[in-house]
Amino acid sequence: MKLNFEFDGAMSREVLESYLSRAVTAGELYETTTLRDDLRVIERLGIKFLGRASGIWAMLEDDDIHFAKSRALADAVHAQDPQIILQACIFEIVTLRMNTVKIPAYVFEAFGKPVEDRCFRWDDARMFPVNGDTDVHFPEGQDPGLCGAMPDLNRDEARMWFYYRATKYIDCGYEALHMGQVHLYTAEDRGMKKTYELFGMIRDYAAKHARRHKVLMDAHTHGVSVNGKLLFDYHAMPFTRAPLEDYEGIRLVLVREGFSEGGENPNGWYGEQMPLLMEYDNWGGKMFSDEDLANYSRHHMARWQWWGYDQIGWFANQPEESRNHFIEYTYRWTQVNNPHAFFEMPFRRTLGAAQVEMIRGDNGETGVNGSYQINNKSAGCPMGFGQEDIMKACWDDGNRLREKYANPEHLIRYGCREIYDAETGYKLPEKVVVYGSFQPFVGAAENDSNSEITRMYYIGDNTYTLTVVIPFAGEYDYAVSTYGTLSAVYTAQHHRAESGDGPKAAFTTKRDNSVVRFTFRFMDNKVTAEVAE
């Protein structure tokens, strides 16, 4: 993949994917206390996209202060590398504190309203509850910034608030906006008509005022399309996991998913699948108490979030060796599971209740870090978690696995509907599953011959394939079943089908995080497992 970071106005797919291939989650970087060392890491690794670098959930300070901090960060980053895109967030929450924010005249004018001397109105922006549910995220307390509700983008006040925040970030030098859980706050906007209009207004503002006359927009979605026109430049999603309950420790694996809607991109080009950015998400950190640990079963803890944590909380609380292992695993997993997906590596992320105690790198004393930081531990970043080197190794490895072993782009289309063998006219099976002892390590039940998770893709010429990443070295067995049954099972042992779950073929992964490609050629009944390296 040739990297290209040049644009002004509309962005080509090549440039967009170049940025996403060098993207990190830099949550609330505008509040960092280690900026000098953060800039060192950014330069060392060649980071070009700082996701979530600014944005608020709870509104705990005046907006003028928040935007001044946001601008200072952007100025410092761009002084080092003017090509870098910083992303700000506009989340699915409005707080009572918005009642203290004056509405600028240009916001009224953009919406065709008479200019008024007033503040935003929380009661006019929030979504009202239905079926007795509450719409307030936090109990009302002393600080109005902690009393929040779901915004309603069907209402003018909410759209004006979103527009105001978006334009302020653009003025601060931010060229990307993450729009949170878009399907929640647009629930009353039937067909997202008003949402499309609003986002178009934001893009128009960026075309005139942004650094390079462009703002990228994404949200947690697999895609929003109206008459083939996409709402977002690319899509973003957290990972999906499955716990390894029957194995030592609190291990987990990622589960194949990642569909990204295709259509006409806001930049003017068309694609069957849009680029997808995948990240370790956060929603509170540690989701259980010490009492819970004592009272809940291992099964309960395994199934509750990520072993009782949010995603980044679980990751940060693993030993350093395990963190390095999981970064490489996730990078490789993303490379082969979706040819259009990119791993937004964790650079900085709030840990909430999952804060980590560690020995400081400056004075040797014990400290507590409330944010994950990828930095190697040093005097410049005393409580870094130390994943710089593995991240660099992953990016240095490039896209070779994606280019050679990636699964087909249509992840929800397995192919082979009404396909017949060219020589005999024999109809090929539409559903083919590879199964065996390896399945738990890709998120499926062991020896499940009917699993959709290890269903194979038809790629033409009587051939089916599936690529997976096996996180741990070892020997595993496998076989292939058609239509999920055990009445005709195929193995690498010989070309004849067998009945029942008999002896299987085996493959060996000599290193952790090995890529394995299964291939099944129907009619010839040839089954193989290629361990790539």
Side-chain angles (χ1 to χ4, degrees):
M1 176 180 177
K2 180 183 177 182
L3 298 181
N4 179 3
F5 302 105
E6 297 294 332
F7 73 94
D8 188 355
M11 183 180 287
S12 69
R13 183 162 193 152
E14 178 189 61
V15 172
L16 175 58
E17 292 190 340
S18 293
Y19 272 102
L20 300 185
S21 75
R22 292 297 180 267
V24 298
T25 306
E28 300 171 353
L29 188 61
Y30 77 100
E31 292 190 317
T32 183
T33 59
T34 59
L35 181 58
R36 184 187 296 272
D37 197 63
D38 297 336
L39 291 172
R40 176 194 63 78
V41 179
I42 290 169
E43 182 176 28
R44 180 196 174 200
L45 299 180
I47 294 168
K48 292 293 186 178
F49 186 100
L50 293 168
R52 297 176 179 251
S54 186
I56 58 170
W57 185 262
M59 194 174 178
L60 299 179
E61 62 185 0
D62 290 341
D63 251 8
D64 288 344
I65 296 174
H66 169 71
F67 287 118
K69 290 179 180 178
S70 300
R71 182 186 293 274
L73 172 66
D75 289 346
V77 169
H78 289 142
Q80 176 172 289
D81 184 350
Q83 287 187 324
I84 290 177
I85 290 176
L86 289 93
Q87 182 190 62
C89 303
I90 303 175
F91 289 117
E92 61 278 8
I93 186 171
V94 286
T95 74
L96 268 174
R97 193 167 188 141
M98 71 186 293
N99 289 343
T100 67
V101 178
K102 278 287 188 73
I103 304 179
Y106 76 87
V107 174
F108 286 114
E109 292 165 357
F111 283 82
K113 294 179 179 291
V115 176
E116 301 178 50
D117 182 15
R118 72 170 178 88
C119 294
F120 287 99
R121 296 169 181 149
W122 183 66
D123 272 330
D124 291 341
R126 68 192 182 108
M127 186 177 294
F128 285 93
V130 295
N131 300 325
D133 293 334
T134 180
D135 65 335
V136 177
H137 293 302
F138 301 109
E140 293 192 36
Q142 294 181 344
D143 193 323
L146 289 174
C147 183
M150 182 70 65
D152 182 358
L153 236 56
N154 196 44
R155 310 181 76 187
D156 285 353
E157 197 78 1
R159 292 198 303 280
M160 290 169 64
W161 176 252
F162 271 51
Y163 182 77
Y164 156 74
R165 301 204 70 77
T167 57
K168 291 287 283 186
Y169 285 123
I170 290 169
D171 290 344
C172 288
Y174 290 70
E175 298 172 290
L177 296 170
H178 174 70
M179 305 305 294
Q181 297 192 63
V182 65
H183 298 284
L184 303 185
Y185 57 77
T186 61
E188 299 298 327
D189 180 17
R190 185 175 176 84
M192 293 200 186
K193 182 177 180 179
K194 294 179 180 178
T195 303
Y196 267 78
E197 181 182 12
L198 170 64
F199 287 10
M201 291 170 61
I202 293 171
R203 288 189 169 101
D204 288 344
Y205 186 91
K208 296 178 181 178
H209 301 282
R211 295 177 67 246
R212 288 174 284 186
H213 310 102
K214 172 68 183 174
V215 65
L216 296 172
M217 301 181 76
D218 79 355
H220 273 178
T221 179
H222 288 291
V224 177
S225 174
V226 173
N227 295 322
K229 294 184 181 295
L230 295 168
L231 181 59
F232 296 105
D233 297 85
Y234 61 96
H235 305 126
M237 288 296 290
F239 290 97
T240 299
R241 64 88 181 105
L244 291 174
E245 291 185 63
D246 297 330
Y247 299 86
E248 183 180 355
I250 56 170
R251 298 176 176 180
L252 53 80
V253 295
L254 302 176
V255 181
R256 182 178 53 166
E257 56 92 31
F259 173 75
S260 184
E261 190 69 67
E264 183 181 331
N265 191 277
N267 290 283
W269 42 267
Y270 177 86
E272 286 289 327
Q273 295 265 293
M274 285 300 110
L276 179 70
L277 206 54
M278 305 190 74
E279 64 177 345
Y280 300 156
D281 203 2
N282 76 281
W283 54 82
K286 189 176 180 181
M287 316 301 291
F288 55 80
S289 67
D290 291 338
E291 183 180 358
D292 293 333
L293 281 173
N295 295 332
Y296 289 156
S297 67
R298 178 174 172 82
H299 174 76
H300 184 94
M301 297 307 300
R303 296 291 165 179
W304 190 8
Q305 313 289 353
W306 284 38
W307 286 97
Y309 293 87
D310 65 13
Q311 296 182 355
I312 192 65
W314 174 86
F315 172 76
N317 277 272
Q318 303 307 300
E320 182 176 350
E321 182 179 354
S322 297
R323 291 196 300 270
N324 292 339
H325 178 280
F326 203 72
I327 285 281
E328 182 191 56
Y329 166 66
T330 307
Y331 183 77
R332 288 176 160 232
W333 183 96
T334 308
Q335 287 268 309
V336 303
N337 271 280
N338 186 338
H340 301 302
F342 297 88
F343 175 26
E344 188 177 17
M345 293 206 188
F347 181 84
R348 186 181 192 275
R349 200 83 198 241
T350 181
L351 295 176
Q355 58 189 10
V356 176
E357 185 178 280
M358 64 175 66
I359 302 299
R360 295 176 60 93
D362 51 358
N363 57 23
E365 297 179 358
T366 300
V368 176
N369 201 339
S371 294
Y372 170 81
Q373 296 179 271
I374 200 171
N375 312 47
N376 291 340
K377 189 182 296 186
S378 68
C381 185
M383 291 187 286
F385 285 71
Q387 273 66 68
E388 279 183 50
D389 296 340
I390 189 62
M391 177 177 166
K392 186 177 188 304
C394 288
W395 280 0
D396 286 348
D397 196 42
N399 286 300
R400 64 182 185 86
L401 295 174
R402 183 194 308 273
E403 292 166 357
K404 187 173 182 180
Y405 296 105
N407 289 315
E409 67 173 354
H410 292 295
L411 297 190
I412 60 174
R413 304 177 194 172
Y414 293 94
C416 206
R417 299 194 67 180
E418 299 297 324
I419 302 296
Y420 298 83
D421 174 53
E423 179 184 351
T424 65
Y426 192 101
K427 187 177 185 300
L428 276 62
E430 184 175 344
K431 181 176 181 179
V432 174
V433 176
V434 57
Y435 70 100
S437 64
F438 74 92
Q439 283 180 291
F441 299 94
V442 297
E446 185 170 359
N447 289 320
D448 182 2
S449 64
N450 201 36
S451 173
E452 287 293 313
I453 294 175
T454 57
R455 184 172 172 178
M456 304 181 79
Y457 295 103
Y458 181 71
I459 60 171
D461 192 25
N462 288 15
T463 303
Y464 303 78
T465 187
L466 175 68
T467 303
V468 300
V469 179
I470 304 297
F472 306 111
E475 182 173 288
Y476 304 88
D477 62 29
Y478 71 104
V480 167
S481 72
T482 55
Y483 291 104
T485 72
L486 295 177
S487 59
V489 173
Y490 302 86
T491 72
Q493 309 291 1
H494 53 76
H495 71 279
R496 295 176 181 172
E498 298 183 23
S499 178
D501 188 19
K504 302 184 185 72
F507 66 90
T508 299
T509 58
K510 295 182 179 180
R511 74 178 298 268
D512 289 356
N513 300 329
S514 288
V515 172
V516 180
R517 179 166 60 185
F518 300 105
T519 303
F520 172 54
R521 182 172 170 81
F522 193 68
M523 299 299 291
D524 297 335
N525 300 336
K526 185 177 181 180
V527 180
T528 60
E530 176 190 1
V531 180
E533 201 41 68

